[in-house]
């Protein structure tokens, strides 16, 4: 068995996430306490009790999702005997890349929380609310080629690019609102369904350059070491372990495309991964993994019972 841990991105957050982990595992409670201390914020209380609109704010959702993922990983390792040494690779969707790196001990938990708080704030500052937009193109015809064709039509009047290539039939575009609106109509004409996303900013597009500049300064000062398992990066869809390359690609990732479909295909085909475990909130990546690698074993590690069953199965 070749195992990859995968880590969810924004959109998987929900009030109450992580509460059962904190109740079941002392090591999980310690993660939430450490994140609270690093941020000088009662983020764990917000995660437990809401309100939802405050948790959904990018600057809160990003470190909160990372905290749940790391609570899962710490509980597995400290209390259930599942070492990171069992993982052949790690990968994370957008902010999940930071979770992956923290899980693989490339960045400390406190530094990861602070970086994600800044990342969320910088992304929100980069584009005034209402000026940017994102949309999900879905359906049998919604592949990258269709998305790029629709985005090119939108780009005639503003910034519009493919932001997330999640899997065949699920591609996200991002950019100026008017340009994305035009691309939505083009995508529909080309045979795809198009759903505007309820997001606060147009992520993973050139409009995020001010945020990338802020992250470049912050990451230049952060300590990053080689991860315990190679990271399959969003930008390249290939494994890497060099700290300087990781630092550079984390900056590029702010404005660049999340090549998740290609990352998963590489893991399943070239990487030889036969088992995927999604560590953290939600099951979005679990569903994608089942579609891209139907022969692989796939587990969503959300609740204490999930962790216990996974540990016993190894």
């Amino acid at each position: 068995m070749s195992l990859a841990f995968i880590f969810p991105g924004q959109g998987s957050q929900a009030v109450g996430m992580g509460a059962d982990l904190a109740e079941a595992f002392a090591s999980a409670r310690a993660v939430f306490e450490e994140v609270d201390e690093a941020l000088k914020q009662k983020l764990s209380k917000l995660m437990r009790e809401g309100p939802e609109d405050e948790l959904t704010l990018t600057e809160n959702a990003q470190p909160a999702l990372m905290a749940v993922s790391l609570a899962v990983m710490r509980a597995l390792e400290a209390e259930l005997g599942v070492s990171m040494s069992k993982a052949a690779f790690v990968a994370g969707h957008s902010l999940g890349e930071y979770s992956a790196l923290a899980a693989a001990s490339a960045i400390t938990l406190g530094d990861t929380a602070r970086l994600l708080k800044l990342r969320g704030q910088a992304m929100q500052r980069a584009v005034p609310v209402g000026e940017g937009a994102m949309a999900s193109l879905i359906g049998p015809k919604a592949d990258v080629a269709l998305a790029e064709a629709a985005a090119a039509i939108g780009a005639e009047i503003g910034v519009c690019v493919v932001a997330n290539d999640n899997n065949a039939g699920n591609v996200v575009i991002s950019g100026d609102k008017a340009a994305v609106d035009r691309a939505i109509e083009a995508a529909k004409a080309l045979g795809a369904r198009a759903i505007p996303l309820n997001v606060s900013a147009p992520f993973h597009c050139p409009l995020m350059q001010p945020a990338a500049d802020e992250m470049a300064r912050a990451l230049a000062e952060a300590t990053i070491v080689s991860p315990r398992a190679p990271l399959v990066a969003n930008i390249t869809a290939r494994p890497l372990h060099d700290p300087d390359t990781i630092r550079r690609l984390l900056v590029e990732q702010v404005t660049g495309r999340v090549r998740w479909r290609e990352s998963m295909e590489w893991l399943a085909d070239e990487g030889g991964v036969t088992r995927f475990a999604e560590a953290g909130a939600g099951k979005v990546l679990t569903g994608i993994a089942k579609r891209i690698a139907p022969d692989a074993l796939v587990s969503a590690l959300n609740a204490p019972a999930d962790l216990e069953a996974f540990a016993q199965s190894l």
Side-chain angles (χ1 to χ4, degrees):
M1 179 201 71
S2 181
L3 169 67
F5 284 107
I6 53 178
F7 298 86
Q10 203 161 336
S12 293
Q13 69 276 356
V15 173
M17 66 181 186
D20 52 354
L21 294 170
E23 188 174 335
F25 302 111
S27 54
R29 285 196 299 280
V31 167
F32 297 129
E33 290 166 3
E34 189 174 340
V35 170
D36 284 353
E37 175 60 28
L39 298 180
K40 302 294 188 280
Q41 174 190 3
K42 282 291 184 183
L43 185 63
S44 60
K45 184 174 187 292
L46 176 62
M47 291 161 62
R48 273 195 318 274
E49 302 173 9
E52 185 176 5
D53 59 345
E54 191 173 339
L55 176 62
T56 302
L57 290 174
T58 302
E59 66 177 85
N60 292 326
Q62 294 199 21
L65 285 162
M66 181 278 298
V68 177
S69 289
L70 267 292
V72 167
M73 297 304 295
R74 288 274 181 91
L76 283 175
E77 191 148 18
E79 301 184 51
L80 296 172
V82 180
S83 169
M84 176 56 73
S85 64
K86 291 185 179 294
F89 301 99
V90 294
H93 192 286
S94 190
L95 82 90
E97 198 152 83
Y98 287 80
S99 306
L101 288 165
S105 304
I107 313 177
T108 68
L109 177 59
D111 280 352
T112 306
R114 286 185 286 268
L115 285 166
L116 283 174
K117 183 77 171 180
L118 173 62
R119 185 176 182 267
Q121 291 170 334
M123 285 177 153
Q124 197 59 68
R125 281 193 291 264
V127 180
V129 173
E131 291 189 10
M134 299 181 76
S136 182
L137 310 185
I138 57 177
K141 293 186 178 181
D143 58 11
V144 173
L146 181 146
E148 288 179 339
I153 292 170
E156 293 171 1
I157 61 169
V159 171
C160 188
V161 299
V162 174
N164 301 344
D165 176 13
N166 291 326
N167 64 276
N170 181 354
V171 185
V172 176
I173 57 173
S174 179
D176 288 306
K177 186 176 187 309
V180 170
D181 287 344
R182 177 182 278 198
I184 287 173
E185 295 309 311
K188 290 176 180 176
L190 292 168
R193 290 173 59 205
I195 301 173
L197 299 180
N198 183 21
V199 294
S200 56
F203 306 129
H204 298 291
C205 82
L207 296 175
M208 287 287 110
Q209 189 58 50
D213 294 340
E214 284 197 57
M215 291 310 297
R217 291 189 288 271
L219 286 160
E221 298 177 0
T223 299
I224 301 176
V225 300
S226 183
R228 291 165 65 189
L231 172 78
V232 176
N234 287 180
I235 288 292
T236 62
R238 293 294 183 272
L240 68 148
H241 52 76
D242 174 65
D244 289 336
T245 306
I246 289 170
R247 198 186 310 270
R248 175 174 59 81
L249 293 184
L250 286 174
V251 175
E252 290 183 19
Q253 185 227 57
V254 178
T255 58
R257 182 182 304 182
V258 176
R259 295 169 60 185
W260 192 253
R261 173 185 57 82
E262 293 173 75
S263 297
M264 293 296 291
E265 288 174 348
W266 187 92
L267 284 164
D269 298 335
E270 302 299 320
V273 170
T274 55
R275 185 161 195 178
F276 293 91
E278 180 178 5
K283 298 181 180 180
V284 172
L285 301 184
T286 299
I288 293 174
K290 287 177 179 177
R291 287 189 288 274
I292 293 177
D295 294 331
L297 287 172
V298 182
S299 307
L301 307 182
N302 302 127
D306 299 332
L307 275 64
E308 290 161 0
F310 176 73
Q312 290 169 6
S313 73
L314 295 178

